[in-house]
């Protein structure tokens, strides 16, 4: 077990340093890259908070779709092959539900303010 | 070449080639990428000061451009053709020659205006222009698609089927699973248009490449992805949600409706355009931008550009994936 602070606290500390202290001192392209750096750390923080349960749920859905177990990576690769070969139809309702849920979870980590996510008709109330 | 040497070589070139320019001032770099760099400068002469833009190969070196980009000299040639066809473009004033010592590139007149989407979509200065932009873009695209391509043999012919295979092969190279892109590739493959009337296609007609003023579009910039293809490609690309900058309900560039885009296109003599053809290319374009984000991340992963920006853009592929989910599964049951 690692000591405190947690990884989440560490990346948050660095992000806050960039936003509150470094960025006001910077200009031009360096300021732009600092903002991107802060955004990158915000992605890492959300991933630390959200990805583990989402990855488990994704893997369970993939097991159900493909009827066997495997790593998240190998199951996703097989899903790709089956979509490409047509073994799973692209409009298969179970596939559609899986990809919708998976993609919402990915964007919630990557870019939760993205318009296509914020206004997705697939997002439930609340 | 140091910056003073570069400035001096540029001054020699333009003073020799462009009438009424004796010296240059206010030289500043606007942007730089792997495929080109852009500089702004003033040409000073007895008749006054004129604004110019230089677009040249990065560092003035002849480097292989990406498979889809055309040579800078070809860009200049196409822009001159487009100007003759009535497309608003910056006037090409001089194409660099070998003895200039500046590498491949060209000098254009500087067109004043705004290219930043957030300002165009939100600032009061553009409030009157916004409702007219979709129709105007349709008219401009019809003019682009009517450009005579005779003799432009260096342009590649890239109909939908060829382009689909190109992007599938790029995506396959990265060897990382994106099931949503697989679905999009399948959907597109089943609906490939057999377009007979291939035309000049700008290839990157969207915010950032449109110089806009309170009076509307003043110039279409950045012709590096120009090719021969399905004209609907250009209309679909500007509808990709990534170019709406949050104004999702306004499908065309965050400022207008597809019906206006298509109506403007027909008004200016564009033939056979339909919302359905545009939709095919909107979905194609959405997937393409997602794969382009993967490509930009590869520049980081493979070491050619270790910037935090190149790294992070890989995490924007998922934006296009949610757009594709919204487009391809519009009525899917809620999980």
């Amino acid at each position: 077990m690692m000591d405190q602070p947690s990884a989440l606290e560490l990346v948050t500390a660095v992000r806050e340093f960039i936003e509150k202290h470094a960025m006001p001192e910077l200009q031009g392209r360096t300021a732009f890259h600092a903002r991107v750096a802060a955004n990158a750390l915000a992605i890492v923080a959300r991933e630390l908070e959200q990805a583990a349960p989402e990855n488990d749920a994704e893997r369970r859905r993939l097991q159900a779709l493909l009827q066997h177990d495997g790593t998240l990576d190998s199951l996703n690769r097989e899903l790709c092959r089956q979509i490409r070969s047509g073994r799973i139809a692209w409009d298969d309702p179970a596939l559609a539900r899986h990809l919708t849920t998976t993609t919402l979870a990915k964007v919630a980590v990557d870019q939760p303010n993205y318009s296509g996510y914020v206004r997705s008709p697939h997002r439930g109330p609340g | 070449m140091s910056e003073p040497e570069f400035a001096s070589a540029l001054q020699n070139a333009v003073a020799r080639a462009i009438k009424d320019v004796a010296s240059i001032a206010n030289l500043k770099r606007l942007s730089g990428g792997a495929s080109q760099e852009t500089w702004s400068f003033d040409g000073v002469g007895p008749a006054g000061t004129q604004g110019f833009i230089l677009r040249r190969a990065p560092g003035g070196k002849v480097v292989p451009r990406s498979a889809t980009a055309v040579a800078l000299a070809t860009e200049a040639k196409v822009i001159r053709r487009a100007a003759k066809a009535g497309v608003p473009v910056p006037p090409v004033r001089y194409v660099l020659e070998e003895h200039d010592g500046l590498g491949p590139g060209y000098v254009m007149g500087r067109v004043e205006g705004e290219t930043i989407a957030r300002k165009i979509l939100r600032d009061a200065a553009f409030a009157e222009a916004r409702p007219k932009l979709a129709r105007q873009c349709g008219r401009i695209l019809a003019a682009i698609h009517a450009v005579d391509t005779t003799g432009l043999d260096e342009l590649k012919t890239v109909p939908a089927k060829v382009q689909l295979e190109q992007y599938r092969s790029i995506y396959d190279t990265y060897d990382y699973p994106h099931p949503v892109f697989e679905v999009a590739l399948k959907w597109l493959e089943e609906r490939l248009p057999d377009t007979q009337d291939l035309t000049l296609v700008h290839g990157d007609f969207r915010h950032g490449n449109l110089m806009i003023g309170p009076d509307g579009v003043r110039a279409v910039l950045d012709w590096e992805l120009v090719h021969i293809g399905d004209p609907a490609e250009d209309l679909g690309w500007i509808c990709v949600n990534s170019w709406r900058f949050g104004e999702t309900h306004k499908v065309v560039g965050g400022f207008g409706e597809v019906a206006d885009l298509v109506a403007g296109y027909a008004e200016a003599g564009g033939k056979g355009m339909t919302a359905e053809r545009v939709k095919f290319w909107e979905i194609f374009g959405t997937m393409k931008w997602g794969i382009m984000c993967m490509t930009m991340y590869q520049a980081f992963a493979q070491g050619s550009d270790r910037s935090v920006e190149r790294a992070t853009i890989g995490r924007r592929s998922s934006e296009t994936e949610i757009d594709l989910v919204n487009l391809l599964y519009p009525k899917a049951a809620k999980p």
Side-chain angles (χ1 to χ4, degrees), chain A residues 47-63:
Chain A
E47 184 167 322
L48 287 168
E49 288 177 306
Q50 300 171 31
E54 291 296 347
N55 285 342
D56 288 345
E58 181 182 347
R59 188 166 155 198
R60 281 195 301 276
R61 289 193 302 272
L62 286 164
Q63 286 166 359

Side-chain angles (χ1 to χ4, degrees), chain A residues 36-116:
Chain A
V36 176
N39 286 340
L41 294 177
I43 293 173
V44 176
R46 286 189 297 268
E47 184 167 322
L48 287 168
E49 288 177 306
Q50 300 171 31
E54 291 296 347
N55 285 342
D56 288 345
E58 181 182 347
R59 188 166 155 198
R60 281 195 301 276
R61 289 193 302 272
L62 286 164
Q63 286 166 359
L65 270 170
L66 301 169
Q67 301 289 306
H68 64 83
D69 198 4
T71 63
L72 198 49
D73 181 80
S74 69
L75 291 168
N76 267 308
R77 285 176 191 274
E78 188 183 338
L79 183 66
C80 285
R81 281 194 297 274
Q82 294 211 8
I83 296 167
R84 190 173 295 201
S85 70
R87 267 189 76 186
I88 297 184
W90 71 266
D91 56 352
D92 178 286
L95 176 69
R97 280 194 299 274
H98 165 70
L99 292 180
T100 302
T101 308
T102 307
T103 306
L104 286 170
K106 267 165 72 168
V107 192
V109 167
D110 289 342
Q111 311 290 342
N113 296 321
Y114 180 63
S115 66

Side-chain angles (χ1 to χ4, degrees), chain B residues 241-260:
Chain B
N241 189 42
S242 301
W243 315 136
R244 296 183 211 157
F245 294 87
E247 305 295 320
T248 312
H249 55 292
K250 297 248 165 66
V251 172
V252 183
F255 49 66
E257 309 297 332
V258 173
D260 288 333

Side-chain angles (χ1 to χ4, degrees), chain B residues 111-237:
Chain B
V111 178
E112 302 298 332
E114 187 56 74
T115 59
I116 298 171
R118 287 178 199 286
K119 294 188 181 172
I120 294 160
L121 296 180
R122 279 157 213 172
D123 283 6
F126 302 96
E128 278 186 44
R130 280 193 289 270
K132 301 176 196 156
L133 287 174
R135 190 170 281 257
Q136 194 189 6
C137 284
R139 286 199 298 268
I140 291 171
L141 284 170
I144 292 174
H145 299 158
V147 168
D148 178 14
T149 56
T150 319
L152 294 173
D153 300 331
E154 59 267 58
L155 294 182
K156 292 201 177 90
T157 300
V158 197
K161 188 175 192 305
V162 175
Q163 199 168 145
L164 189 76
E165 290 313 323
Q166 278 177 354
Y167 278 89
R168 195 204 310 268
S169 133
I170 294 167
Y171 159 71
D172 282 349
T173 309
Y174 303 145
D175 192 30
Y176 198 87
H178 284 258
V180 173
F181 292 162
E182 297 286 350
V183 164
L185 285 163
K186 204 78 190 165
W187 187 94
L188 292 162
E189 196 175 47
E190 289 172 3
R191 287 160 185 79
L192 278 175
D194 181 26
T195 313
Q196 298 301 317
D197 54 339
L198 300 182
T199 66
L200 189 77
V201 170
H202 178 277
D204 204 7
F205 191 91
R206 58 158 173 97
H207 282 297
N209 296 333
L210 298 174
M211 183 62 81
I212 292 175
D215 48 335
V217 178
R218 290 176 176 172
V220 181
L221 313 174
D222 202 339
W223 291 71
E224 84 175 63
L225 298 179
V226 67
H227 59 272
I228 309 289
D230 180 346
E233 182 188 338
D234 276 335
L235 285 83
W237 186 233

Side-chain angles (χ1 to χ4, degrees), chain A residues 6-25:
Chain A
S6 67
L8 178 60
E9 286 175 304
L10 282 171
V11 291
T12 303
V14 179
R15 180 177 57 76
E16 288 177 0
F17 162 73
I18 293 172
E19 286 175 350
K20 290 180 187 156
H21 303 289
M23 278 175 59
E25 306 282 324

Side-chain angles (χ1 to χ4, degrees), chain B residues 318-335:
Chain B
S318 54
E319 295 181 358
T320 68
E321 291 182 351
I322 193 63
D323 286 335
L324 287 168
V325 163
N326 293 340
L327 286 160
L328 298 176
Y329 299 132
K331 287 174 188 164
K334 273 182 190 162

